[in-house]
Amino acid sequence: MTLRSVNFSRAAALTAAFGVLLVAGCAAHHRAPAHSAAPDAPGARSPAGARPGPDAAAQPPVARTPRPGPKESAPGRATPPRTRHTPGPPAEPRHTARPPKPATARAVRALAAGEAPGAAALTTRDGHRHASRFTAAGVSDVRTDRRITSADHFRAGSLTKTFIATVVLQLTAEHRLSLDDTVGRLLPGLAPGATDPRGITVRELLDHTSGLYNYTVDPELSAELRGAGFSAHRYDTYTSDELLRIALSHAPAEAPGARYAYSNTNYLVLGQIIEAVTGHTYAAEAQQRIIAPLGLSGTSFPGTDPRLPRPYGRGYSQVGAERVDSTALDPSRAGAAGELVTTLGDLNRFFASLLGGRLLPPRQLAQMRDEADTDGVYGLGLYGTRLPCGVTVWGHDGDINGSYAQTAATPGGQHVLTFRLNTDQPDTPRRIHDLLTAEFCPRT
């Protein structure tokens, strides 16, 4: 496969040259321990999906098989409007482009040589676009051999969690809630099932020590999200209330505060807490507090819309011996745990701003990076990865149907790398770890 290095002006030209079909994909799965650099996002890891026709995203099927049982609308949980994707600033002059590090380019080629049809990475230094380095290998569409561009939109899965955690910590800085507030106080109407969540704290939700059952591994739901029922249920709409009832119908995995156990359910609850405290959806708060101020024109919370903004590629999952197109689906299955749509450049800007102190006061940013309660595995919506050269990078990762992405950055956000694959099943965490080592370890 051929490696490419593209600056922002070339990316803009490529974007204009390559029109692709409107189709989207998202799902969710259970996260492995953070420092293994293993994949993460809402949903079970088992693949699913059937290849849709060429117009699947633009024209979702009129008749579809609904999830058995009633679907109640969550009070006040209207589908958030799609973010207006306005053109960004003019591309940097071509002479400002910088080639990727050779070691980084080799690591991206290695990722594309695995299970992923294509891989791409964008590095930013000190927040300057002229210092960005883009590299890609493989293809974004196996039918047309379209290349991945730096402007492509994709679903980011559990990278959504860092946005949600940032909003929650901003609310704590404003004294509108506390990390020690309980679910029972903030959400008095949340009815217990086999699990009673009322004594769980906001802190335990943020760092995955709540013990709440991960809704995406419920056997019936998992079959719909990624298993045999995916093709029949890919356009089903799920409310957070419905998904929480599924989670709370199971016994808790652990007692609150006992240990780290990654659960997408935690961030569904946090999404409801944001709405209860502010009177607005988590999507509206993230738009007003993060997306608009930072000018993240390629980032949105799509609600129930199965489409991706142009430009974008397609996503693929492995089902047995067959690779299937798993791009198009209703992203409400992921909600506050993983519905985000974004771009490589927007994620770099967000993490540079977050770690650089533009979004949180010093106390809240320090809390976000505090992994003491999880024995060094996870902070409050952020985690560190220790590399062989002694450098620690901070970020998050996420995978959804047809897509895997990860952002890592130095502690102050001066050096940021985001990479993505158009598969939800990276074949080896070692190749991901090699990419981070190649970029952040100076003598690699």
Side-chain angles (χ1 to χ4, degrees), residues 91-138:
E92 298 286 348
R94 293 191 61 168
H95 69 271
T96 63
R98 303 181 68 185
K101 289 178 63 176
T104 299
R106 288 193 298 270
V108 170
R109 282 199 298 270
L111 285 172
E115 295 296 328
L122 181 70
T123 301
T124 305
R125 291 274 193 170
D126 299 321
H128 298 310
R129 294 180 64 216
H130 69 267
S132 296
R133 305 168 185 260
F134 175 70
T135 183

Side-chain angles (χ1 to χ4, degrees), residues 215-249:
Y215 77 92
T216 59
V217 299
D218 171 83
E220 181 184 351
L221 183 61
S222 177
E224 296 178 9
L225 298 181
R226 297 209 180 201
F230 172 77
S231 60
H233 294 278
R234 66 193 304 161
Y235 295 110
D236 281 5
T237 293
Y238 302 82
T239 69
S240 61
D241 281 350
E242 178 186 10
L243 297 174
L244 285 174
R245 283 196 299 271
I246 292 172
L248 297 180
S249 71

Side-chain angles (χ1 to χ4, degrees), residues 318-378:
Q318 198 71 23
V319 178
E322 182 183 5
R323 175 187 286 165
V324 299
D325 188 312
S326 56
T327 309
L329 54 79
D330 184 322
S332 62
R333 62 185 58 202
E339 73 169 272
L340 193 74
V341 169
T342 190
T343 65
L344 295 172
D346 276 9
L347 285 176
N348 277 15
R349 186 180 300 182
F350 166 65
F351 277 91
S353 299
L354 174 64
L355 293 167
R358 289 185 56 192
L359 295 174
L360 291 174
R363 180 168 180 254
Q364 280 69 35
L365 183 56
Q367 290 171 333
M368 199 175 212
R369 294 205 304 247
D370 185 355
E371 300 175 321
D373 290 343
T374 62
D375 296 324
V377 176
Y378 197 91

Side-chain angles (χ1 to χ4, degrees), residues 11-402:
L14 285 169
T15 301
F18 291 100
V20 292
L21 305 171
L22 267 173
V23 183
C26 154
H29 94 290
H30 179 66
R31 173 183 162 70
H35 295 199
S36 68
D40 151 52
R45 191 177 295 273
S46 56
R51 188 183 302 274
D55 299 323
Q59 298 292 335
V62 174
R64 56 186 173 86
T65 305
R67 171 174 165 77
K71 285 187 170 61
E72 302 174 12
S73 296
R77 173 62 168 101
T79 299
R82 291 177 59 81
T83 304
R84 183 179 300 275
H85 296 276
T86 55
E92 298 286 348
R94 293 191 61 168
H95 69 271
T96 63
R98 303 181 68 185
K101 289 178 63 176
T104 299
R106 288 193 298 270
V108 170
R109 282 199 298 270
L111 285 172
E115 295 296 328
L122 181 70
T123 301
T124 305
R125 291 274 193 170
D126 299 321
H128 298 310
R129 294 180 64 216
H130 69 267
S132 296
R133 305 168 185 260
F134 175 70
T135 183
V139 297
S140 67
D141 189 326
V142 299
R143 296 174 303 166
T144 65
D145 288 339
R146 176 190 181 274
R147 302 288 185 168
I148 300 175
T149 77
S150 62
D152 282 355
H153 297 83
F154 56 90
R155 298 193 186 276
S158 283
L159 280 153
T160 308
K161 291 180 171 67
T162 310
F163 283 72
I164 298 300
T166 300
V167 172
V168 170
L169 288 169
Q170 286 179 345
L171 292 172
T172 68
E174 295 163 11
H175 306 290
R176 299 176 71 178
L177 59 79
S178 163
L179 292 178
D180 297 321
D181 279 340
T182 63
V183 171
R185 189 186 84 78
L186 296 170
L187 298 174
L190 185 59
T195 294
D196 186 346
R198 290 174 294 187
I200 293 169
T201 67
V202 171
R203 186 191 303 274
E204 290 163 348
L205 294 170
L206 285 166
D207 69 7
H208 298 288
T209 59
S210 71
L212 288 176
Y213 180 86
N214 186 359
Y215 77 92
T216 59
V217 299
D218 171 83
E220 181 184 351
L221 183 61
S222 177
E224 296 178 9
L225 298 181
R226 297 209 180 201
F230 172 77
S231 60
H233 294 278
R234 66 193 304 161
Y235 295 110
D236 281 5
T237 293
Y238 302 82
T239 69
S240 61
D241 281 350
E242 178 186 10
L243 297 174
L244 285 174
R245 283 196 299 271
I246 292 172
L248 297 180
S249 71
H250 293 270
E254 297 284 346
R259 69 178 183 89
Y260 167 85
Y262 191 89
S263 174
N264 292 296
T265 307
N266 292 317
Y267 278 73
L268 293 185
V269 178
L270 288 168
Q272 291 201 348
I273 287 174
I274 290 171
E275 183 168 343
V277 171
T278 66
H280 306 122
T281 65
Y282 61 82
E285 286 295 314
Q287 170 69 28
Q288 184 262 328
R289 292 168 174 272
I290 300 172
I291 296 172
L294 296 183
L296 307 183
S297 60
T299 299
S300 63
F301 286 82
T304 61
D305 193 336
R307 298 168 297 175
L308 287 174
R310 294 178 185 271
Y312 68 96
R314 305 190 71 84
Y316 301 93
S317 300
Q318 198 71 23
V319 178
E322 182 183 5
R323 175 187 286 165
V324 299
D325 188 312
S326 56
T327 309
L329 54 79
D330 184 322
S332 62
R333 62 185 58 202
E339 73 169 272
L340 193 74
V341 169
T342 190
T343 65
L344 295 172
D346 276 9
L347 285 176
N348 277 15
R349 186 180 300 182
F350 166 65
F351 277 91
S353 299
L354 174 64
L355 293 167
R358 289 185 56 192
L359 295 174
L360 291 174
R363 180 168 180 254
Q364 280 69 35
L365 183 56
Q367 290 171 333
M368 199 175 212
R369 294 205 304 247
D370 185 355
E371 300 175 321
D373 290 343
T374 62
D375 296 324
V377 176
Y378 197 91
L380 305 185
L382 199 66
Y383 65 84
T385 300
R386 265 74 62 185
L387 300 176
C389 58
V391 172
T392 295
V393 290
W394 292 88
H396 211 289
D397 63 344
D399 80 80
I400 53 187
N401 293 78

